Amino acid sequence: MQAFVQGLAKQFDLVILDTPPLTAVSDALVTARLADYVVFLVRWEQTSRDLAVNALKQMRDLRKHVGVVLAQVDVRRHLRYGESGYFNPKDREYYTN
């Protein structure tokens, strides 16, 4: 697998390795060892905090750059609870329409 990924990296500017959830099977952690960067996807209000924290702890030993993406955010609902500080008020219409 390592030789395969290295071969792809020589041919392409970007190689994306999509894996199953980190805590579901060992494939994801093994594959993450081959990556230069890891994008950790967390589904808003679906992925529990404990699950996300434990998964990130598993990746700590990889010594890789890890980015976290919060996906499928219900922006209307998020704004309704008064948490609009993350957005510029001028952009509110953009995020809710």
Side-chain angles (χ1 to χ4, degrees):
M1 181 71 174
Q2 185 175 8
F4 176 67
V5 171
Q6 288 173 343
L8 291 172
K10 289 177 183 174
Q11 293 180 9
F12 301 99
D13 294 332
L14 180 65
V15 178
I16 298 174
L17 306 170
D18 187 16
T19 67
L22 185 65
T23 56
V25 291
S26 62
D27 299 15
L29 197 55
V30 171
T31 305
R33 294 182 196 286
L34 303 174
D36 293 327
Y37 302 94
V38 176
V39 177
F40 184 69
L41 189 65
V42 177
R43 188 171 173 195
W44 186 66
E45 287 197 338
Q46 297 295 315
T47 306
S48 74
R49 180 182 302 253
D50 289 340
L51 184 77
V53 168
N54 289 333
L56 288 169
K57 284 180 182 178
Q58 287 183 28
M59 287 191 284
R60 187 181 334 173
D61 295 334
L62 294 177
R63 305 211 185 277
K64 304 283 182 176
H65 297 281
V66 177
V68 179
V69 174
L70 186 58
Q72 297 184 344
V73 175
D74 183 340
V75 178
R76 285 180 182 224
R77 194 160 143 230
H78 180 68
L79 290 172
R80 206 175 17 225
Y81 290 107
E83 299 177 16
S84 61
Y86 299 108
F87 305 112
N88 184 329
K90 294 185 293 184
D91 298 331
R92 182 182 178 107
E93 188 173 312
Y94 171 82
Y95 289 107
T96 56
N97 289 335

